Amino acid sequence: DTAVSQTPKYLVTQMGNDKSIKCEQNLGHDTMYWYKQDSKKFLKIMFSYNNKELIINETVPNRFSPKSPDKAHLNLHINSLELGDSAVYFCASSQGGGGGEQYFGPGTRLTVT
Amino acid sequence: GESVGLHLPTLSVQEGDNSIINCAYSNSASDYFIWYKQESGKGPQFIIDIRSNMDKRQGQRVTVLLNKTVKHLSLQIAATQPGDSAVYFCAENKNTGKLIFGQGTTLQVKP
C-alpha cells in the first residue's frame, strides 16, 4: 500500500535513554515532516525536510535531531529523554515544501517513565 | 502571535443530522486553510482545503466556508454518520509548509 509508515508504533523507555523513530513514505513526495501531539491533542510541527534539506526547524530542544538519508525517509533521534517528551509523534509527507496536502503516518506513542 | 482556535472542544450530534464545526484564526495574512480528521489511534487525514481567494468549497458530504471578514472557518458535514466520529482540526498553511493546527473538536455521533 502507498502510505506513510512509522516504526515503532509504541515506545516505552526510561528517562535519560536515547531512542529513534523511523519514518518512510512511498508516495514519491519530496518533503517530510515531524509533528508532536501532546496529551490534549494539540499538534505542533517540529521539523520539515525538502529533498533531504532542513527547511523548518521549530523551537525544539537540540536533544531532538532529525536525519533524512534520502527523500523517502526521515528519522527522529531523541537523546536524554525526559518525561515531557511523552507524546505521540507523527511523520507526514507532501509534494512540495510550500504547502499542499500533507499525508500523515499512524503515529508513534512515546512514553517516558 | 498567530493562532488557530476552535469554538467547541466537543460536538454531539444525532446520526443523520448535519454537523457544523467552527474555527477562528487570528492571522489575516493566512492564505490556505485545511480541515483534518483524526480517528482514534490514527494520524490526521486530509478532508478538504480552501484558499483565501475562495468563500466556499464543497466535497463529498462536506463543505468548508471561509469568512475572511471575521476570520472564521467552518466545516459542515451533511447527514452525519457514525464513521464521522473523530477529532476534527482546522489548520492554517501560509505556503511555507508549516501547518498551524487548532486545538481540535471531538465530534460524537449518537445512533
Side-chain angles (χ1 to χ4, degrees):
Chain A
D1 288 349
T2 54
V4 180
S5 59
Q6 297 178 227
T7 54
K9 188 164 175 62
Y10 299 97
L11 184 54
V12 181
T13 188
Q14 292 184 325
M15 284 175 57
N17 285 348
D18 303 339
K19 291 293 178 185
S20 292
I21 306 171
K22 295 186 176 180
C23 178
E24 176 181 2
Q25 55 93 6
N26 59 4
L27 297 164
H29 291 162
D30 61 3
T31 307
M32 297 184 72
Y33 311 81
W34 277 111
Y35 287 84
K36 179 180 180 181
Q37 187 172 47
D38 64 21
S39 58
K40 296 183 179 178
K41 296 282 189 182
F42 184 62
L43 264 166
K44 187 167 168 41
I45 190 166
M46 300 171 68
F47 303 102
S48 170
Y49 272 74
N50 176 261
N51 284 315
K52 301 195 300 175
E53 181 182 340
L54 182 66
I55 56 171
I56 295 175
N57 186 354
E58 289 296 286
T59 308
V60 177
N62 56 16
R63 298 182 294 103
F64 290 78
S65 53
K67 282 187 173 55
S68 182
D70 55 57
K71 285 196 308 182
H73 295 85
L74 181 62
N75 304 322
L76 183 65
H77 188 75
I78 315 170
N79 288 327
S80 303
L81 278 155
E82 300 177 358
L83 291 176
D85 298 332
S86 295
V88 181
Y89 292 84
F90 287 100
C91 177
S93 73
S94 69
Q95 182 54 35
E101 183 178 346
Q102 294 183 17
Y103 292 77
F104 283 77
T108 295
R109 181 175 292 277
L110 172 65
T111 303
V112 182
T113 61
Chain B
E2 56 202 9
S3 66
V4 181
L6 287 167
H7 294 305
L8 286 174
T10 303
L11 176 65
S12 186
V13 300
Q14 205 70 36
E15 181 179 354
D17 287 351
N18 296 333
S19 303
I20 299 177
I21 302 172
N22 296 304
C23 181
Y25 64 95
S26 61
N27 192 333
S28 57
S30 301
D31 49 19
Y32 180 52
F33 302 90
I34 314 104
W35 281 100
Y36 277 88
K37 172 186 180 183
Q38 186 178 20
E39 295 175 274
S40 181
K42 297 183 179 179
Q45 180 184 7
F46 175 92
I47 302 173
I48 192 168
D49 58 4
I50 188 168
R51 296 220 170 255
S52 58
N53 61 354
M54 301 170 69
D55 297 322
K56 179 179 180 179
R57 190 161 187 223
Q58 287 185 295
Q60 189 175 15
R61 283 202 305 119
V62 295
T63 301
V64 57
L65 298 177
L66 176 62
N67 185 329
K68 293 179 286 293
T69 303
V70 295
K71 290 186 268 188
H72 182 268
L73 188 69
S74 69
L75 177 72
Q76 300 178 4
I77 304 173
T80 313
Q81 301 169 1
D84 295 327
S85 295
V87 180
Y88 289 81
F89 295 93
C90 62
E92 166 196 353
N93 186 334
K94 295 168 66 177
N95 281 334
T96 62
K98 179 180 168 182
L99 278 180
I100 300 171
F101 280 85
Q103 199 70 12
T105 289
T106 298
L107 177 64
Q108 298 172 338
V109 182
K110 297 178 287 186

PDB file of all heavy atoms in Angstrom, chain B residues 84-103:
ATOM      1  N   ASP B  84     -18.185   9.240  11.040  1.00  0.00           N
ATOM      2  CA  ASP B  84     -17.666  10.606  11.099  1.00  0.00           C
ATOM      3  C   ASP B  84     -17.147  10.948  12.486  1.00  0.00           C
ATOM      4  O   ASP B  84     -16.514  11.993  12.675  1.00  0.00           O
ATOM      5  CB  ASP B  84     -18.755  11.615  10.709  1.00  0.00           C
ATOM      6  CG  ASP B  84     -19.199  11.475   9.263  1.00  0.00           C
ATOM      7  OD1 ASP B  84     -18.347  11.119   8.404  1.00  0.00           O
ATOM      8  OD2 ASP B  84     -20.402  11.696   8.977  1.00  0.00           O
ATOM      9  N   SER B  85     -17.411  10.090  13.464  1.00  0.00           N
ATOM     10  CA  SER B  85     -16.940  10.347  14.827  1.00  0.00           C
ATOM     11  C   SER B  85     -15.411  10.384  14.832  1.00  0.00           C
ATOM     12  O   SER B  85     -14.751   9.424  14.429  1.00  0.00           O
ATOM     13  CB  SER B  85     -17.425   9.255  15.778  1.00  0.00           C
ATOM     14  OG  SER B  85     -18.832   9.281  15.900  1.00  0.00           O
ATOM     15  N   ALA B  86     -14.870  11.501  15.276  1.00  0.00           N
ATOM     16  CA  ALA B  86     -13.421  11.697  15.255  1.00  0.00           C
ATOM     17  C   ALA B  86     -13.125  13.060  15.860  1.00  0.00           C
ATOM     18  O   ALA B  86     -14.035  13.792  16.253  1.00  0.00           O
ATOM     19  CB  ALA B  86     -12.881  11.643  13.824  1.00  0.00           C
ATOM     20  N   VAL B  87     -11.852  13.398  15.915  1.00  0.00           N
ATOM     21  CA  VAL B  87     -11.435  14.754  16.268  1.00  0.00           C
ATOM     22  C   VAL B  87     -11.144  15.491  14.973  1.00  0.00           C
ATOM     23  O   VAL B  87     -10.447  14.965  14.092  1.00  0.00           O
ATOM     24  CB  VAL B  87     -10.174  14.746  17.165  1.00  0.00           C
ATOM     25  CG1 VAL B  87      -9.764  16.181  17.502  1.00  0.00           C
ATOM     26  CG2 VAL B  87     -10.432  13.947  18.433  1.00  0.00           C
ATOM     27  N   TYR B  88     -11.686  16.692  14.854  1.00  0.00           N
ATOM     28  CA  TYR B  88     -11.520  17.494  13.639  1.00  0.00           C
ATOM     29  C   TYR B  88     -10.643  18.700  13.956  1.00  0.00           C
ATOM     30  O   TYR B  88     -10.867  19.411  14.931  1.00  0.00           O
ATOM     31  CB  TYR B  88     -12.877  17.946  13.098  1.00  0.00           C
ATOM     32  CG  TYR B  88     -13.641  16.792  12.500  1.00  0.00           C
ATOM     33  CD1 TYR B  88     -14.362  15.914  13.312  1.00  0.00           C
ATOM     34  CD2 TYR B  88     -13.620  16.549  11.131  1.00  0.00           C
ATOM     35  CE1 TYR B  88     -15.044  14.836  12.778  1.00  0.00           C
ATOM     36  CE2 TYR B  88     -14.306  15.470  10.581  1.00  0.00           C
ATOM     37  CZ  TYR B  88     -15.003  14.619  11.414  1.00  0.00           C
ATOM     38  OH  TYR B  88     -15.673  13.542  10.871  1.00  0.00           O
ATOM     39  N   PHE B  89      -9.654  18.901  13.100  1.00  0.00           N
ATOM     40  CA  PHE B  89      -8.731  20.016  13.262  1.00  0.00           C
ATOM     41  C   PHE B  89      -8.801  20.936  12.057  1.00  0.00           C
ATOM     42  O   PHE B  89      -8.817  20.477  10.917  1.00  0.00           O
ATOM     43  CB  PHE B  89      -7.283  19.520  13.349  1.00  0.00           C
ATOM     44  CG  PHE B  89      -6.964  18.682  14.550  1.00  0.00           C
ATOM     45  CD1 PHE B  89      -7.053  17.311  14.497  1.00  0.00           C
ATOM     46  CD2 PHE B  89      -6.550  19.289  15.731  1.00  0.00           C
ATOM     47  CE1 PHE B  89      -6.742  16.539  15.602  1.00  0.00           C
ATOM     48  CE2 PHE B  89      -6.233  18.517  16.838  1.00  0.00           C
ATOM     49  CZ  PHE B  89      -6.336  17.141  16.774  1.00  0.00           C
ATOM     50  N   CYS B  90      -8.830  22.228  12.337  1.00  0.00           N
ATOM     51  CA  CYS B  90      -8.551  23.159  11.260  1.00  0.00           C
ATOM     52  C   CYS B  90      -7.072  23.514  11.347  1.00  0.00           C
ATOM     53  O   CYS B  90      -6.469  23.435  12.417  1.00  0.00           O
ATOM     54  CB  CYS B  90      -9.406  24.421  11.354  1.00  0.00           C
ATOM     55  SG  CYS B  90      -9.155  25.406  12.834  1.00  0.00           S
ATOM     56  N   ALA B  91      -6.502  23.842  10.223  1.00  0.00           N
ATOM     57  CA  ALA B  91      -5.082  24.198  10.192  1.00  0.00           C
ATOM     58  C   ALA B  91      -4.868  25.279   9.157  1.00  0.00           C
ATOM     59  O   ALA B  91      -5.590  25.374   8.165  1.00  0.00           O
ATOM     60  CB  ALA B  91      -4.227  22.972   9.871  1.00  0.00           C
ATOM     61  N   GLU B  92      -3.872  26.078   9.437  1.00  0.00           N
ATOM     62  CA  GLU B  92      -3.507  27.167   8.542  1.00  0.00           C
ATOM     63  C   GLU B  92      -2.160  26.831   7.916  1.00  0.00           C
ATOM     64  O   GLU B  92      -1.262  26.349   8.595  1.00  0.00           O
ATOM     65  CB  GLU B  92      -3.399  28.444   9.374  1.00  0.00           C
ATOM     66  CG  GLU B  92      -2.716  29.590   8.691  1.00  0.00           C
ATOM     67  CD  GLU B  92      -2.316  30.660   9.684  1.00  0.00           C
ATOM     68  OE1 GLU B  92      -2.697  30.561  10.859  1.00  0.00           O
ATOM     69  OE2 GLU B  92      -1.622  31.599   9.282  1.00  0.00           O
ATOM     70  N   ASN B  93      -2.056  27.082   6.625  1.00  0.00           N
ATOM     71  CA  ASN B  93      -0.791  26.856   5.933  1.00  0.00           C
ATOM     72  C   ASN B  93      -0.495  28.116   5.125  1.00  0.00           C
ATOM     73  O   ASN B  93      -1.253  28.484   4.253  1.00  0.00           O
ATOM     74  CB  ASN B  93      -0.905  25.639   5.015  1.00  0.00           C
ATOM     75  CG  ASN B  93       0.418  25.273   4.368  1.00  0.00           C
ATOM     76  OD1 ASN B  93       1.283  26.120   4.186  1.00  0.00           O
ATOM     77  ND2 ASN B  93       0.574  24.018   4.018  1.00  0.00           N
ATOM     78  N   LYS B  94       0.600  28.756   5.434  1.00  0.00           N
ATOM     79  CA  LYS B  94       0.926  30.001   4.749  1.00  0.00           C
ATOM     80  C   LYS B  94       1.876  29.773   3.589  1.00  0.00           C
ATOM     81  O   LYS B  94       2.744  30.575   3.317  1.00  0.00           O
ATOM     82  CB  LYS B  94       1.521  30.978   5.756  1.00  0.00           C
ATOM     83  CG  LYS B  94       0.527  31.379   6.828  1.00  0.00           C
ATOM     84  CD  LYS B  94       1.170  32.101   7.978  1.00  0.00           C
ATOM     85  CE  LYS B  94       1.729  33.439   7.577  1.00  0.00           C
ATOM     86  NZ  LYS B  94       2.291  34.148   8.735  1.00  0.00           N
ATOM     87  N   ASN B  95       1.685  28.601   2.915  1.00  0.00           N
ATOM     88  CA  ASN B  95       2.530  28.246   1.770  1.00  0.00           C
ATOM     89  C   ASN B  95       3.999  28.141   2.143  1.00  0.00           C
ATOM     90  O   ASN B  95       4.875  28.269   1.300  1.00  0.00           O
ATOM     91  CB  ASN B  95       2.360  29.238   0.620  1.00  0.00           C
ATOM     92  CG  ASN B  95       1.091  28.963  -0.155  1.00  0.00           C
ATOM     93  OD1 ASN B  95       0.605  27.841  -0.178  1.00  0.00           O
ATOM     94  ND2 ASN B  95       0.549  29.976  -0.767  1.00  0.00           N
ATOM     95  N   THR B  96       4.246  27.922   3.414  1.00  0.00           N
ATOM     96  CA  THR B  96       5.611  27.651   3.846  1.00  0.00           C
ATOM     97  C   THR B  96       5.774  26.183   4.204  1.00  0.00           C
ATOM     98  O   THR B  96       6.858  25.754   4.564  1.00  0.00           O
ATOM     99  CB  THR B  96       5.950  28.475   5.102  1.00  0.00           C
ATOM    100  OG1 THR B  96       5.056  28.077   6.155  1.00  0.00           O
ATOM    101  CG2 THR B  96       5.817  29.955   4.841  1.00  0.00           C
ATOM    102  N   GLY B  97       4.692  25.442   4.117  1.00  0.00           N
ATOM    103  CA  GLY B  97       4.718  24.051   4.531  1.00  0.00           C
ATOM    104  C   GLY B  97       4.460  23.881   6.011  1.00  0.00           C
ATOM    105  O   GLY B  97       4.265  22.774   6.494  1.00  0.00           O
ATOM    106  N   LYS B  98       4.450  24.986   6.748  1.00  0.00           N
ATOM    107  CA  LYS B  98       4.269  24.904   8.197  1.00  0.00           C
ATOM    108  C   LYS B  98       2.782  24.967   8.506  1.00  0.00           C
ATOM    109  O   LYS B  98       2.147  26.004   8.374  1.00  0.00           O
ATOM    110  CB  LYS B  98       5.001  26.081   8.838  1.00  0.00           C
ATOM    111  CG  LYS B  98       4.889  26.146  10.348  1.00  0.00           C
ATOM    112  CD  LYS B  98       5.662  27.352  10.868  1.00  0.00           C
ATOM    113  CE  LYS B  98       5.357  27.622  12.312  1.00  0.00           C
ATOM    114  NZ  LYS B  98       6.078  28.823  12.802  1.00  0.00           N
ATOM    115  N   LEU B  99       2.235  23.823   8.883  1.00  0.00           N
ATOM    116  CA  LEU B  99       0.837  23.757   9.276  1.00  0.00           C
ATOM    117  C   LEU B  99       0.688  24.188  10.722  1.00  0.00           C
ATOM    118  O   LEU B  99       1.357  23.647  11.600  1.00  0.00           O
ATOM    119  CB  LEU B  99       0.302  22.338   9.124  1.00  0.00           C
ATOM    120  CG  LEU B  99      -0.168  21.852   7.751  1.00  0.00           C
ATOM    121  CD1 LEU B  99      -0.646  20.421   7.846  1.00  0.00           C
ATOM    122  CD2 LEU B  99      -1.240  22.743   7.191  1.00  0.00           C
ATOM    123  N   ILE B 100      -0.196  25.154  10.980  1.00  0.00           N
ATOM    124  CA  ILE B 100      -0.504  25.563  12.347  1.00  0.00           C
ATOM    125  C   ILE B 100      -1.889  25.028  12.660  1.00  0.00           C
ATOM    126  O   ILE B 100      -2.881  25.442  12.051  1.00  0.00           O
ATOM    127  CB  ILE B 100      -0.457  27.090  12.493  1.00  0.00           C
ATOM    128  CG1 ILE B 100       0.944  27.584  12.140  1.00  0.00           C
ATOM    129  CG2 ILE B 100      -0.835  27.504  13.914  1.00  0.00           C
ATOM    130  CD1 ILE B 100       1.043  29.085  12.045  1.00  0.00           C
ATOM    131  N   PHE B 101      -1.946  24.113  13.599  1.00  0.00           N
ATOM    132  CA  PHE B 101      -3.186  23.431  13.911  1.00  0.00           C
ATOM    133  C   PHE B 101      -3.947  24.123  15.028  1.00  0.00           C
ATOM    134  O   PHE B 101      -3.358  24.675  15.959  1.00  0.00           O
ATOM    135  CB  PHE B 101      -2.906  21.988  14.351  1.00  0.00           C
ATOM    136  CG  PHE B 101      -2.664  21.045  13.211  1.00  0.00           C
ATOM    137  CD1 PHE B 101      -1.395  20.921  12.656  1.00  0.00           C
ATOM    138  CD2 PHE B 101      -3.687  20.279  12.695  1.00  0.00           C
ATOM    139  CE1 PHE B 101      -1.166  20.045  11.614  1.00  0.00           C
ATOM    140  CE2 PHE B 101      -3.471  19.400  11.646  1.00  0.00           C
ATOM    141  CZ  PHE B 101      -2.202  19.284  11.095  1.00  0.00           C
ATOM    142  N   GLY B 102      -5.275  24.030  14.956  1.00  0.00           N
ATOM    143  CA  GLY B 102      -6.127  24.422  16.057  1.00  0.00           C
ATOM    144  C   GLY B 102      -6.190  23.301  17.080  1.00  0.00           C
ATOM    145  O   GLY B 102      -5.574  22.250  16.914  1.00  0.00           O
ATOM    146  N   GLN B 103      -6.956  23.537  18.129  1.00  0.00           N
ATOM    147  CA  GLN B 103      -6.966  22.604  19.255  1.00  0.00           C
ATOM    148  C   GLN B 103      -7.741  21.326  18.969  1.00  0.00           C
ATOM    149  O   GLN B 103      -7.488  20.314  19.566  1.00  0.00           O
ATOM    150  CB  GLN B 103      -7.544  23.296  20.495  1.00  0.00           C
ATOM    151  CG  GLN B 103      -7.212  22.617  21.798  1.00  0.00           C
ATOM    152  CD  GLN B 103      -5.735  22.738  22.169  1.00  0.00           C
ATOM    153  OE1 GLN B 103      -4.974  23.492  21.594  1.00  0.00           O
ATOM    154  NE2 GLN B 103      -5.303  21.953  23.138  1.00  0.00           N
TER     155      GLN B 103
END
